[in-house]
Structures are given as C-alpha cells and as structure tokens.
C-alpha cells in the first residue's frame, strides 16, 4: 500500500511528489501518468512566486530549471497580414523581475527536469486513470495499462491530471469545464533554417499565433482561433486531455466511424489549423504545414469559475493544479499555482501525516490563495475578448501581490503521525 498515489505526471503532479517526499523522506509515493515524457506543449513563464515555491520544496530543483530559461528580451509583433506593429520591449517582464527571478521555459523542460530528479521507480507512464473507491483507511484506484487493468491502493489519492481531470469528475461529478469558444493548436519542432524570429506574436481577426525559439535547435508554436461550440467534437470535445500520447481511440475511429492512422489524425489537425489561419503570412503557414503531424496537439480552451471550484479535497482525495482551479492563460500563473499547491500539500502531509486532516489543511491554505488568482485570470480573459481590458497582466500580478508571495522552506517532518 502506497502512502500517496499521484495521478498525473505533468509539473503539478511531479511538484506534489517532490514535496511529499521532501516532507516525508522514505514515504511510498508513485506518480502514474497516462502518456510518456517527451517534447510537446509550448513555452510559458514560471513567475517569481512559483520559482520561490519550487526553491522552498527543493533548492536544487530551481537550480536545475534555470539553465533552460529562454531569454526573449524583445518580442516582435505583427498583424494578421504580417505588417509589423511596434516591437514590445521587456518593460513588463522587467517590472516582474523587481519581485524575483522569472523564467520562460518549454512545458516539457519543466516536466522532464522534475521527472529526472525523482527517485527511480516513482514515475510510471502509460497508466490511464479509470476510477477509484474510498474506504476508511485508504483509496483503491484503477488504471488501464498496456498489461491490462491495474489496481493501486494508497492512503491518499492526489489528482493532478489537468483541467480535464478524470479524478475531479470521479470525486465531484461536476461536469466538464466551460468552453471559451477558442481552438488551440500547439507543437514543438526543429527550427527551420530560414526562420527569422526569436519570439514573435501575430494577432488580428480575433486570432493569435505565437512562436518562441527554444534551446537545442527547437521552436514552439501556438495558434489560437475562434471555434464554434457546435464543432467542439471535431477538436476532441469537452473531455479532451490537453496532453496525450498521439491520438485517442475516438479520434482514430473518427466521427464517421472510419478508421484512421495517428499520422492521418495529425494531418487533419494541421489542415484545420491552416484553414483557421488562411491568408496569414506564408512563413507562418509554412511553419505549421511542415510540422511533424504526430507533434501537433489540438483542443479547446476551457476554464472554470472560481465560485465553482470551492472543493480541493474531500476525505482521502485531493485535487492539485488545473484539476483544482482551472483558469485561463491570462496572468501566466498556471504552473506557479500548481507548484504552490504542491508545496503546501507537502507541508500539510508533513504536519498531519497521510490522513484526511492533511488534505483538509491543504485546502484551508490553498483555496483562498489560488481562488483569487483564478478569479482575476478569468476576468482578464473576458475583458480581453470583449475589447475592454483596462489592466495588463503585469499590473494585476504586481498590484494583487501574486508575484510577491514568499514561501518558507519545506523541512522533513520529525515524527510520522498515524493515518
């Protein structure tokens, strides 16, 4: 029987595992991830508060992440035709850096950095969560694996499997998150030999396309375009996992029941992205068109209202990161809030052991803190889409004190309370 079973091997789940192991050295912890660990996703910022939380869990984790920082001091900006707008300087980021270090890293670099630092045998891939039952002394969870259905027993079940969390649905049964009318395509790929930009944004007609140069000869691109709710099933529906391995069984079967290969599914994603950005600069379209079809992810943009996310824990089950408080990309706090969750969950386990009391203590600390970030993120997204955004993300992050948060170091517990 495990002490803690973490569902989800993204940054949220890995941060939780590190924090629990730091608070309880020698604890039996497993992280079960539905996919594998490979390059995907895009770049994002780990804010000063997130880096301090990571350092509070383990200082060497922050040190291992810093070399992957991608410096983009000047962002080129263009409209949908490719005509340049005024370049955006780094003044906003410089203001954030007044409150601590700030790094921009590929999603998969944060994931791989945290995964590599775990003890051998903690992380297990290709385990898809099916459900759980809870008893007086623990939880039994079921997973689909290449070897068949596997049952795993643990004192605590920690759901860190993203905004489409199956653990959340099993715990709360509150349905899928709210669709925001936007489709997103993402990929990490080799940099074309003639690619001109380090970091560039293209915007107009309610759409956006962002490219960012990574290290090791790679670049990440992201496309955002309006998408009808009536066509949501075409891009995976309301239950699409953001990060997954290849294509789902439903995609392979197709809406019309015609069996397709993973390459065909990827090619269809590229086709939809190109159609969404018809008439945009040719080098942008070429970047998409020449991407490996298997590298492209596609899904809708979703969020949850903070008022509908007032339960982070119940009994022996807790939710972490987007599974607990799915916000929008605005504020850039997603990964930082997940790391803060992990830190405080580890601190609660250190104080209360692997018990429901620990999860209740975690919720008491994190619910008000994460809810406030979530509310502002959703509010800014709505203001942006309505054309009435009167404050920048930088302003809100600073004025609301999100990037100023300080975190005490996580120390190993001296005694182990009973569960």
């Amino acid at each position: 029987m495990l002490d803690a079973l973490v569902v989800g091997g993204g940054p949220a789940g890995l941060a939780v595992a590190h924090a629990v192991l730091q608070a309880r050295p020698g604890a039996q912890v497993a992280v079960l991830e539905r996919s594998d660990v490979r390059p995907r996703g895009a770049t994002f910022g780990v804010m000063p508060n997130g880096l301090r939380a990571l350092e509070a869990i383990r200082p060497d984790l922050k040190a291992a992440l810093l070399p992957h920082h991608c410096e983009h001091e000047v962002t080129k900006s263009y409209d949908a035709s490719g005509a340049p707008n005024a370049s955006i300087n780094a003044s906003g980021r410089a203001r954030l850096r007044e409150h601590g270090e700030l790094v921009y890293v590929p999603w998969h670099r944060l994931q791989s950095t945290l995964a590599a630092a775990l003890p051998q045998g903690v992380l297990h891939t290709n385990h898809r969560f099916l459900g759980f039952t809870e008893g007086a002394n623990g939880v039994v969870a079921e997973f689909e694996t290449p070897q068949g259905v596997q049952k795993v027993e643990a004192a605590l079940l920690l759901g860190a499997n993203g905004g489409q969390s199956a653990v959340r649905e099993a715990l709360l049964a509150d349905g899928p998150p709210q669709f925001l009318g936007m489709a997103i395509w993402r990929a990490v790929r080799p940099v074309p030999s003639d690619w001109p930009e380090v970091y560039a944004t293209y915007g107009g007609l309610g759409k956006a396309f962002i490219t960012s140069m990574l290290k090791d000869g790679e670049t990440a691109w992201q496309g955002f375009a309006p998408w009808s709710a009536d066509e949501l099933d075409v891009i995976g529906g309301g239950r699409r996992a953001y990060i997954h391995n290849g294509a789902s069984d439903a995609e392979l079967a197709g809406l019309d029941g015609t069996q397709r290969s993973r390459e065909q599914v990827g090619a269809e994603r590229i086709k939809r992205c190109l159609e969404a950005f018809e008439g945009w600069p040719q080098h942008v379209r070429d970047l998409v068109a020449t991407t490996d079809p298997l590298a492209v992810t596609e899904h809708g943009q979703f969020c949850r209202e903070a008022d509908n996310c007032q339960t982070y824990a119940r009994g022996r089950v807790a939710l972490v990161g987007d599974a607990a408080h799915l916000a929008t990309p605005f504020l850039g706090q997603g990964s930082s809030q997940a790391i803060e969750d992990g830190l405080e969950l580890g601190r609660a386990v250190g104080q209360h052991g692997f018990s429901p009391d620990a999860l209740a203590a975690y919720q008491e600390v994190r619910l008000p803190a994460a809810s406030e970030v979530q509310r502002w993120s959703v509010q800014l997204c709505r203001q942006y889409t309505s054309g009435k955004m009167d404050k920048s993300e930088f302003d809100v992050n600073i004025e609301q004190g999100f990037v100023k948060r300080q975190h005490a170091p996580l120390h190993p517990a001296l005694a182990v309370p009973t569960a």
Side-chain angles (χ1 to χ4, degrees):
M1 180 172 174
L2 296 169
D3 294 311
L5 171 58
V6 182
V7 180
L14 298 173
V16 168
H18 277 293
V20 169
L21 289 168
Q22 181 69 10
R24 294 287 176 190
Q28 298 299 307
V29 177
V31 179
L32 303 189
E33 160 62 26
R34 61 173 290 162
S35 185
D36 54 3
V37 178
R38 61 182 172 84
R40 56 192 145 194
T43 55
F44 62 92
V46 182
M47 295 293 162
N49 53 299
L51 277 179
R52 284 192 289 269
L54 189 62
E55 186 175 33
I57 294 173
R58 273 180 52 182
D60 61 312
L61 295 177
K62 174 187 169 184
L65 184 63
L66 292 179
H68 299 295
H69 170 57
C70 301
E71 192 65 59
H72 301 134
E73 287 301 333
V74 176
T75 297
K76 298 290 185 65
S77 179
Y78 305 90
D79 64 20
S81 71
N85 298 319
S87 292
I88 303 170
N89 63 33
S91 61
R93 294 177 182 176
R95 290 176 59 207
L96 291 179
R97 286 194 174 100
E98 293 176 3
H99 304 282
E101 292 177 279
L102 168 68
V103 300
Y104 285 87
V105 294
W107 185 95
H108 71 273
R109 286 299 182 198
L110 177 56
Q111 181 194 36
S112 62
T113 297
L114 296 179
L118 282 174
Q120 187 174 4
V122 172
L123 175 62
H124 304 266
T125 57
N126 298 303
H127 282 65
R128 185 172 71 87
F129 176 80
L130 299 175
F132 75 89
T133 56
E134 183 176 355
N137 298 313
V139 177
V140 177
E142 289 192 351
F143 296 84
E144 180 184 353
T145 77
Q147 292 74 39
V149 175
Q150 178 182 355
K151 292 185 177 181
V152 183
E153 187 174 3
L156 299 179
L157 176 65
L158 310 176
N161 52 342
Q164 302 281 359
S165 171
V167 177
R168 181 188 182 95
E169 181 61 19
L171 179 67
L172 303 179
D174 60 351
Q178 176 186 353
F179 178 53
L180 294 178
M182 187 75 66
I184 303 176
W185 297 270
R186 291 188 173 110
V188 174
R189 56 155 296 165
V191 181
S193 59
D194 59 347
W195 186 247
E197 309 294 358
V198 174
Y199 189 103
T201 64
Y202 300 79
L205 308 176
K207 305 175 184 179
F209 194 90
I210 302 171
T211 69
S212 52
M213 194 78 76
L214 311 180
K215 296 187 176 180
D216 303 321
E218 294 180 324
T219 190
W221 61 260
Q222 306 175 74
F224 302 80
W227 195 267
S228 169
D230 295 336
E231 297 292 319
L232 184 55
D233 283 347
V234 176
I235 59 172
R239 276 299 181 200
R240 159 62 54 80
Y242 282 14
I243 301 298
H244 56 89
N245 192 14
S248 67
D249 291 341
E251 287 178 291
L252 294 176
L255 296 177
D256 59 0
T258 303
Q259 193 68 25
R260 298 170 299 167
S261 69
R262 297 184 187 278
E263 288 78 7
Q264 287 174 312
V265 170
E268 290 170 6
R269 293 174 182 170
I270 290 176
K271 181 174 181 291
R272 286 189 286 270
C273 184
L274 290 173
E275 289 173 349
F277 291 93
E278 180 72 32
W280 284 52
Q282 190 60 45
H283 66 282
V284 168
R285 292 174 51 79
D286 289 345
L287 185 71
V288 175
T290 58
T291 297
D292 179 357
L294 294 178
V296 180
T297 63
E298 175 189 60
H299 57 81
Q301 177 66 62
F302 300 87
C303 78
R304 291 186 188 271
E305 298 286 350
D307 288 344
N308 297 329
C309 296
Q310 294 299 296
T311 301
Y312 291 5
R314 180 180 291 169
R316 291 182 174 275
V317 183
L319 303 173
V320 179
D322 285 349
H325 41 73
L326 178 64
T328 76
F330 285 85
L331 289 181
Q333 280 280 350
S335 63
S336 297
Q337 291 307 295
I339 296 169
E340 287 186 359
D341 285 351
L343 170 63
E344 295 306 331
L345 204 158
R347 202 185 309 278
V349 165
Q351 294 171 350
H352 301 281
F354 296 96
S355 67
D357 288 346
L359 303 189
Y362 155 71
Q363 175 172 285
E364 184 177 359
V365 172
R366 287 301 297 156
L367 182 56
S371 289
E372 190 65 12
V373 176
Q374 184 182 14
R375 284 193 180 91
W376 271 103
S377 176
V378 174
Q379 179 178 322
L380 286 176
C381 181
R382 288 192 171 136
Q383 290 177 352
Y384 178 81
T385 55
S386 67
K388 299 177 181 178
M389 190 171 173
D390 55 0
K391 285 190 177 183
S392 74
E393 300 172 83
F394 303 116
D395 291 334
V396 173
N397 262 312
I398 294 169
E399 292 174 6
Q400 297 301 314
F402 301 148
V403 295
K404 301 177 184 179
R405 290 178 179 172
Q406 303 293 324
H407 302 287
L410 180 59
H411 297 296
L414 299 179
V416 181
T418 61

